[in-house]
Amino acid sequence: MRTVTVVGASLSGLYAARELRAQGFDGRLVIVGDEPHRPYDRPPLSKDFLTGRADEHQLALTDEDETAELDAEWLLGVRARGLDARGRTVLLDDGRTVSTDGVVIATGASARRLPGAGLAGVHTLRTLDDALALREELARVPRRVVVIGAGFIGAETASSCAALGHADTVVEAAPLPLERQLGADMAAVCAGLHRRGGVELVSGTGVAGLRGTVAVTGVDLTDGRTLPADVVIVGVGAAPNTDWLAGSTLALHDGVLCDDGCVTALPQVVAVGDVARVGGVRAEHWTSATEQPRVAVANLLAGRTVRTARSLPYFWSDQYGARIQFAGRRQDGDTVTVTEGEIADGAPAEGGFLARYERDGRSTAVLSVNRPRPFMRARRELIREADRPEPAPL
């Protein structure tokens, strides 16, 4: 290959560019990004950046030395609008085309929006520009803030708003936040963090609509209530950025469909990060974005799938001064037991806890709140357990 184009100046896109150079590619490297910014770290946007403890410089993932070492052409502030049928040309919104021998798709995902999102005071939090706009608004005066969605982004943002002194309410349509990931018992415990942080949690009801003419004034719930609001933050998930691939020969279904090695139907095109559905799974986690590029690039340069990228799922979230860490593959019916620390009054006690999930006598997952060292040991055990073959049926 003489030219490889990375579409998406994201975390996974940067890691793919690094891997291309590390694995010996010395040809032309083009990085296309729809934002005007060089790659930056997204997890702090809802935490330290929103509260003012971090600035843009601290979010940067590259410095001048690494930029020089990558020796890449950066095409920033321009969207890709198409990929030709053979995957050999990337079409850009400004009319330019990039002829290429290989493509790494790393276009990530965009925040889902609700009707009425055009009202002043309604925000999503996915990009640096989103965070800058929300931080500026929250800095003016104390506000009545309603956060829609109690997933990772919603919970972390609510935590930051509470720390800034705003009156906070979180609305979650599911009976419990993070129930799908953690199961009902542990989700109830983590929901207790909202209460302990002074934030009202309204769960088991959805949003019927947003009130306001020019600026938002309230949130109508499906149970008939209306929550007054000066600021509304919508955290109801993200959709993979695949619209630009319509008309290409790639298979698309909630992401770019790839095999276990991040390779698409075209061997010269691979996908990584939030936009990639690898082996049937699309994982919107930092670890996937950093681990998949090594495998994807190896397969891209080989012209076929020679390595696979099925690793043990892992995520973390910082909320109300607590670090939640989870690893493994929990399923309904797994038993969960607190093995270290304790739970008090429906929330993690001081010092946190470690809980293990089991199924048929085998460990399947581990959850930790403020127990990082025991969690890392348990995670290593899980990885070893996952590598063991299943016992033969009797």
Side-chain angles (χ1 to χ4, degrees):
M1 291 186 174
R2 294 183 177 182
T3 300
V4 173
T5 302
V6 178
V7 186
S10 57
L11 176 69
S12 58
L14 174 62
Y15 270 69
R18 289 172 174 171
E19 284 297 330
L20 282 160
R21 294 309 191 203
Q23 295 187 34
F25 176 72
D26 59 1
R28 180 186 179 213
L29 174 57
V30 182
I31 302 175
V32 179
D34 61 347
E35 295 184 58
H37 314 289
R38 293 286 177 97
Y40 57 87
D41 203 16
R42 293 183 191 273
L45 291 180
S46 56
K47 301 184 279 287
D48 286 352
F49 186 79
L50 197 59
T51 58
R53 294 193 299 267
D55 58 24
E56 291 182 52
H57 176 73
Q58 291 168 293
L59 298 180
L61 292 172
T62 59
D63 56 24
E64 292 183 3
D65 290 341
E66 182 181 25
T67 299
E69 290 175 6
L70 283 177
D71 189 25
E73 297 176 33
W74 295 84
L75 305 180
L76 300 177
V78 59
R79 293 179 179 273
R81 65 173 179 85
L83 181 68
D84 77 335
R86 296 179 299 112
R88 302 290 187 182
T89 303
V90 177
L91 313 176
L92 304 181
D93 254 355
D94 62 6
R96 285 180 291 175
T97 61
V98 180
S99 297
T100 189
D101 302 302
V103 175
V104 179
I105 298 173
T107 44
S110 296
R112 298 185 188 275
R113 299 180 180 273
L114 296 178
L119 293 171
V122 179
H123 297 262
T124 56
L125 184 55
R126 183 77 187 183
T127 69
L128 175 57
D129 290 339
D130 290 342
L132 285 167
L134 179 57
R135 188 170 75 171
E136 180 181 352
E137 181 149 8
L138 292 174
R140 294 174 188 165
V141 294
R143 301 297 186 96
R144 296 170 299 179
V145 177
V146 175
V147 179
I148 302 173
F152 304 118
I153 295 297
E156 291 170 0
T157 304
S159 172
S160 295
C161 289
L164 290 170
H166 302 291
D168 243 345
T169 302
V170 176
V171 179
E172 170 58 48
L176 289 166
L178 304 178
E179 183 173 1
R180 181 175 60 84
Q181 294 89 347
L182 306 181
D185 291 343
M186 292 298 106
V189 173
C190 290
L193 292 171
H194 291 280
R195 182 182 67 254
R196 196 168 71 187
V199 172
E200 181 183 1
L201 174 63
V202 178
S203 60
T205 187
V207 172
L210 303 180
R211 291 200 172 194
T213 51
V214 176
V216 69
T217 60
V219 177
D220 291 332
L221 304 182
T222 53
D223 64 7
R225 285 181 289 173
T226 296
L227 302 176
D230 304 305
V231 177
V232 172
I233 301 160
V234 181
V236 292
N241 293 324
T242 58
D243 289 351
W244 69 283
L245 295 168
S248 72
T249 58
L250 299 183
L252 307 174
H253 179 67
D254 187 35
V256 179
L257 300 189
C258 308
D259 66 12
D260 288 350
C262 305
V263 180
T264 71
L266 298 173
Q268 70 274 21
V269 179
V270 297
V272 293
D274 293 356
V275 74
R277 179 166 288 276
V278 179
V281 176
R282 190 171 69 85
E284 295 182 18
H285 299 308
W286 191 91
T287 47
S288 300
T290 57
E291 291 174 355
Q292 290 173 355
R294 180 177 293 112
V295 170
V297 165
N299 294 333
L300 178 67
L301 296 179
R304 59 190 178 90
T305 302
V306 295
R307 296 178 60 182
T308 59
R310 300 299 297 272
S311 58
L312 187 76
Y314 164 61
F315 65 79
W316 78 90
S317 179
D318 295 317
Q319 306 172 17
Y320 308 102
R323 166 152 288 199
I324 301 170
Q325 294 173 284
F326 182 89
R329 296 183 176 90
R330 186 203 71 84
Q331 296 180 13
D332 291 342
D334 289 1
T335 61
V336 58
T337 306
V338 174
T339 58
E340 296 186 31
E342 60 182 348
I343 297 166
D345 298 325
E350 185 177 356
F353 69 88
L354 184 80
R356 296 176 183 267
Y357 296 76
E358 290 187 346
R359 181 173 59 251
D360 298 329
R362 291 169 65 100
S363 297
T364 58
V366 60
L367 168 69
S368 163
V369 177
N370 287 341
R371 293 255 170 160
R373 290 185 179 178
F375 173 82
M376 294 310 295
R377 289 195 295 269
R379 184 186 175 199
R380 287 193 293 268
E381 292 171 7
L382 268 181
I383 293 172
R384 290 194 293 269
E385 184 84 0
D387 291 338
R388 286 173 46 197
E390 292 283 348
L394 297 177

